[in-house]
Amino acid sequence: MSKYSIETKCIQSGYKPGNGEPRTLPVNISTTYKYDSSEHLGKLFDLKVDGHMYTRISNPTVACVEDKIADLEGGTGALLTSSGQAANLIAILNITSAGDNIVSMSSIYGGTVNLFAVTLKKMGIETRFVTENMTDDEVDALFDDRTRLVFGETIANPALTVFDFDRYVPIAHKHGVPVMIDNTFATPILCKPFELGADIVIHSTTKYMDGHATVVGGVIVDGGRFNWDNGKYPELTTPDTSYHGVVYTRDFGCDKAYITKARVQLMRDFGVPLSPMSSFILNLGLETLALRVERHSENAMKVADYLSKSDKVSWVSYPLLENNKEYEKAKKYLNGGASGVISFGVKGGRDAAVKFMDSLKLAAIVVHVADARTSVLHPASTTHRQLTDEQLVNAGITPDLVRLSVGIENVNDIIADIEQALTESQK
């Protein structure tokens, strides 16, 4: 549906009903599929024909939602997973092996830092982190002949730094490696990483894509433009013995090699699919994504402006505040908003921040972000508490940092709730 606007794609992409078929996406709750011959099933397992073998690998309902997300991002294919972390893991292991390394921004989600710095390390894959104060030469020095990708978040959680595509994409491509972007906070409504040079896009669909805190999920989207046949990715360019010698770049082309391997090899082996029912619920969220992200961003801008003028707040971080250090990048890379997430510090430090959160009446303290309801969290003591003090600094997290996820309620009600809680925090 490339000729349509993204608002239309949110509703119409993916599922295409035929004559007399259900108007809305059906839920195909079946683990298995029936075939007319063993020969046809054999061809499915040899990857010689298209079709569904087993719901762990693919399912009609799931496939429609994958197609919708691929269309929204402008990719050639997508793979839904059981969580955002599962998407990260499969996306990276798809093109790395023990002895390889990856380059990652340091200001990323704490769970992803743990995945990279601890779990991948146990698998023999090293992560080299880029800190904010590094020069281009220092970043360049992180690469060697075993570097396999560059990872960043469009809008980092919760530091809210904006990925500098014009800086890091050329460096990555100079070294012959793809750029992998977590686009969870921005969503394709606010940013199209493929149009900015990225090669692979990841989402925690649990956040804005679902938008209602109902289903955990993740997705990998293949941009289809990276040249995998450059000598660095034997996983994609040499025979896969687990599939009778299939060569992904040869048999599926560079535009589909990456996402095909992720599905038929790693999803097969790890077994972390999104269920048909969860995919159906996710699709309902996607239908209103454009509307919600616009409202989230509009509300957050007003809340950020209010907080920036409060004498009870020591600092505010929101990319589209004009005095924010990320402002120029936000204007350059983001389209019409910066999502609904704000980070700020309450005067009085950690104790005052806790008192502020405990005094909220409309907003809730939850281990979640980016759904319709306003929520709040203290990252240093929750989602990022496993990080060292040095990692917290590199991730842009201070002891007084409060992460506020602005919902789509009436913004005056949100601000009134914040105002009374700030007053209580100073008593």
Side-chain angles (χ1 to χ4, degrees), residues 305-366:
D305 184 63
Y306 162 78
L307 290 170
S308 69
K309 297 172 182 175
S310 173
D311 60 1
K312 301 175 182 64
V313 173
S314 52
W315 59 271
V316 183
S317 178
Y318 187 68
L320 283 177
L321 284 174
E322 289 191 16
N323 63 350
N324 189 276
K325 62 184 178 61
E326 302 298 311
Y327 178 76
E328 293 302 325
K329 286 187 288 180
K331 294 292 286 185
K332 186 177 186 180
Y333 301 128
L334 303 178
N335 177 32
S339 87
V341 183
I342 302 169
S343 293
F344 67 98
V346 179
K347 280 189 177 178
R350 182 172 184 150
D351 291 343
V354 170
K355 194 170 183 180
F356 162 77
M357 292 191 297
D358 289 346
S359 300
L360 290 165
K361 295 179 171 60
L362 177 68
I365 301 172
V366 298

Side-chain angles (χ1 to χ4, degrees), residues 10 69 72-73 154-157 160 182-191 202-219 281-301 318-319 337-343 368-375 403-409:
C10 283
I69 294 173
L72 292 175
E73 284 288 8
T154 310
I155 304 174
N157 175 16
L160 304 184
D182 184 329
N183 201 32
T184 297
F185 273 13
T187 79
I189 307 303
L190 300 179
C191 184
I202 310 294
H203 286 268
S204 169
T205 62
T206 319
K207 310 305 189 299
Y208 286 119
M209 282 192 165
D210 165 40
H212 300 86
T214 51
V215 290
V216 175
V219 71
I281 296 171
L282 170 60
N283 187 62
L284 293 178
L286 288 170
E287 289 181 351
T288 61
L289 180 64
L291 291 170
R292 289 185 290 102
V293 168
E294 180 180 353
R295 181 63 172 267
H296 280 293
S297 297
E298 179 184 306
N299 279 0
M301 189 69 240
Y318 187 68
S339 87
V341 183
I342 302 169
S343 293
H368 189 55
V369 67
D371 73 64
R373 304 161 189 84
T374 298
S375 60
R403 184 185 72 182
L404 180 68
S405 178
V406 180
I408 59 175
E409 304 96 341

Side-chain angles (χ1 to χ4, degrees), residues 8-24:
T8 301
K9 290 179 179 182
C10 283
I11 298 168
Q12 297 283 357
S13 286
Y15 175 58
K16 301 291 188 295
N19 184 47
E21 293 182 345
R23 181 69 179 89
T24 58

Side-chain angles (χ1 to χ4, degrees), residues 230-300:
N230 65 2
K232 290 180 176 288
Y233 302 96
E235 302 91 347
L236 297 171
T237 60
T238 59
D240 181 351
T241 56
S242 73
Y243 268 115
H244 313 294
V246 65
V247 177
Y248 295 102
T249 51
R250 180 195 67 197
D251 298 336
F252 300 96
C254 275
D255 61 330
K256 292 286 184 69
Y258 175 87
I259 203 68
T260 300
K261 178 179 178 293
R263 179 183 303 280
V264 302
Q265 187 190 80
L266 295 186
M267 183 60 78
R268 174 199 64 187
D269 293 349
F270 289 151
V272 288
L274 194 65
S275 75
M277 181 56 75
S278 293
S279 299
F280 172 81
I281 296 171
L282 170 60
N283 187 62
L284 293 178
L286 288 170
E287 289 181 351
T288 61
L289 180 64
L291 291 170
R292 289 185 290 102
V293 168
E294 180 180 353
R295 181 63 172 267
H296 280 293
S297 297
E298 179 184 306
N299 279 0

Side-chain angles (χ1 to χ4, degrees), residues 376-407:
V376 67
L377 195 68
H378 184 251
S381 62
T382 54
T383 56
H384 291 65
R385 71 179 299 133
Q386 291 86 7
L387 272 60
T388 65
D389 290 343
E390 181 182 359
Q391 287 175 323
L392 284 170
V393 170
N394 289 336
I397 299 170
T398 55
D400 65 337
L401 187 152
V402 172
R403 184 185 72 182
L404 180 68
S405 178
V406 180

Side-chain angles (χ1 to χ4, degrees), residues 115-228:
L115 172 64
F116 289 0
V118 179
T119 303
L120 287 184
K121 184 178 179 181
K122 292 178 181 178
M123 298 178 179
I125 300 166
E126 178 192 2
T127 302
R128 300 171 179 180
F129 288 102
V130 176
T131 56
E132 194 174 71
N133 58 353
M134 281 185 170
T135 65
D136 285 357
D137 287 341
E138 289 172 324
V139 173
D140 199 68
L142 297 176
F143 292 78
D144 60 28
D145 61 358
R146 297 298 297 271
T147 305
R148 292 296 178 260
L149 63 95
V150 170
F151 183 91
E153 296 176 354
T154 310
I155 304 174
N157 175 16
L160 304 184
T161 53
V162 177
F163 186 80
D164 194 341
F165 290 88
D166 285 350
R167 181 185 184 194
Y168 294 114
V169 168
I171 293 174
H173 288 173
K174 179 181 71 173
H175 289 279
V177 303
V179 175
M180 185 179 295
I181 293 293
D182 184 329
N183 201 32
T184 297
F185 273 13
T187 79
I189 307 303
L190 300 179
C191 184
K192 294 287 195 67
F194 294 141
E195 294 179 1
L196 298 171
D199 305 289
I200 302 158
V201 166
I202 310 294
H203 286 268
S204 169
T205 62
T206 319
K207 310 305 189 299
Y208 286 119
M209 282 192 165
D210 165 40
H212 300 86
T214 51
V215 290
V216 175
V219 71
I220 307 166
V221 188
D222 187 352
R225 291 179 295 191
F226 188 78
N227 176 26
W228 300 108

